[in-house]
Amino acid sequence: MTPPVTLGIASLAHVLGEPHDVAGTAGSYVDDPERVIRWGYRTYHRAAPGVGQTRMAADAARRALDAAGLSASDIDYLVVADSGVPEYLNWDASAAVARELGLGATPTLLATQGCASAVTALQQIAGLMAVRDDIQRVLLVAVHRVSEAHINRMRNNTCLGSDGAAAAVVERGHGRLQWLATDQIVDPRYVDFFRVEYGGSAAPAGANLDVDQLALVHQHFRREPEQLGQFVKDVDHQVAAVIERACKRAGVSTSEIRRLIYLNDNQHSLAGVAKATGIPLERTNAALAAELSHVGCADQLICLSVYDERDELAPGDLVALAGLSGGMQWFCSLVRV
């Protein structure tokens, strides 16, 4: 299928919090540090005190603009993806980033669909450009900061949480890192998995840090324990399925994929994804995931930015940006280098 518009990524940039050694600090987060160490992460990144999502997002955005030789006045639309607990409730984080960047009246969009927010936003940007010929450049920013008042970064799921942001200048007609297609698979039966239990209007008060999210997942399957095993298997199989669907939508073969950038999951999970998709582990982001840890919805753009910085992307390479988001939602966007 031919996309309605041609768009590519003109520049990429990222910022990360301060690096911390996993083995040396896991004991301050959990009482069983060996469990976390076995995930295979070496380093995680923690934002300095007082540094929130708005500042990290704006810092990454400025770097991307500088890399493209652009200023705020060159941007026609701002899209901010945020997968963490917001800095404030009843507040538009995208407008806050726009204010920080001096974008004035430039329209904005806030994407909050968990870890899927940034990758699927490429399709939303294509839609914007398809219906509005006055939009030439969109600034896409993905940010994640673990709110340690709500979430234990080493106990919320089987990923180790990191803080950081990535930004991409997406330009109509740009010939490099071209977006080809996006697809999603949603299974709403599991929408409650990994949610933050307290702080919303349904349960305004409570002790989130006392909640064991993985225990809640097991509790969901307590009457049908065999379904838990099937669910675990389906997680990887659905990754393969959504990648195949995106490839079909783009009119390419999965065998053409040269690199799979999945979320920065633990090493065991990434090995399972590699096996399910048939993509060799060394062509995934497994090594980079151990270095970065899980930066929420910013994972794929940060990894793409790092690979680009290191000249590890060859012209013509097909790259799959894929992942799994609480919801449950599997997603994939394809870009051609």
Side-chain angles (χ1 to χ4, degrees), residues 12-240:
L12 285 158
H14 66 277
V15 297
L16 292 165
E18 298 170 352
H20 293 267
D21 178 68
V22 174
T25 60
S28 64
Y29 283 94
V30 294
D31 55 10
D32 53 347
E34 284 301 318
R35 173 182 61 85
V36 175
I37 293 169
R38 286 196 298 270
W39 287 346
Y41 294 109
R42 296 188 304 275
T43 309
Y44 66 97
H45 300 264
R46 185 180 182 187
V51 176
Q53 291 101 305
T54 301
R55 179 171 165 185
M56 287 193 297
D59 286 348
R62 290 189 187 99
R63 293 187 183 191
L65 289 172
D66 289 345
L70 301 172
S71 65
S73 62
D74 297 309
I75 298 301
D76 302 310
Y77 217 102
L78 170 68
V79 177
V80 175
D82 186 349
S83 52
V85 176
E87 290 177 87
Y88 298 98
L89 299 177
N90 198 25
W91 185 69
D92 185 354
S94 66
V97 175
R99 179 177 61 188
E100 189 77 10
L101 293 173
L103 291 180
T106 301
T108 71
L109 175 67
L110 178 62
T112 59
Q113 209 165 9
C115 294
S117 302
V119 168
T120 57
L122 290 170
Q123 180 173 251
Q124 311 309 318
I125 292 170
L128 283 169
M129 289 184 174
V131 298
R132 287 189 50 177
D133 58 11
D134 60 323
I135 296 177
Q136 300 298 316
R137 294 189 187 93
V138 174
L139 180 58
L140 170 62
V141 188
V143 63
H144 183 81
R145 185 185 189 279
V146 177
S147 171
E148 294 190 323
H150 295 83
I151 294 171
N152 184 324
R153 68 175 71 239
M154 296 191 186
R155 205 179 68 182
N156 185 52
N157 48 43
T158 57
C159 294
L160 198 164
S162 263
D163 306 337
V169 175
V170 182
E171 190 170 298
R172 183 191 295 268
H174 190 72
R176 188 168 184 270
L177 291 172
Q178 284 193 343
W179 170 81
L180 301 182
T182 295
D183 216 315
Q184 297 162 267
I185 296 173
V186 179
D187 192 334
R189 292 177 296 172
Y190 308 124
V191 67
D192 295 331
F193 286 7
F194 309 117
R195 72 187 184 188
V196 176
E197 289 296 318
Y198 304 108
S201 62
N208 283 300
L209 296 181
D210 294 337
V211 176
D212 187 335
Q213 295 287 354
L214 291 178
L216 292 180
V217 173
H218 283 264
Q219 184 179 349
H220 176 87
F221 295 103
R222 66 188 182 279
R223 294 180 180 175
E224 298 177 309
E226 69 281 358
Q227 293 299 318
L228 175 60
Q230 188 60 50
F231 169 75
V232 173
K233 292 178 182 178
D234 286 346
V235 166
D236 292 342
H237 293 157
Q238 292 286 55
V239 177

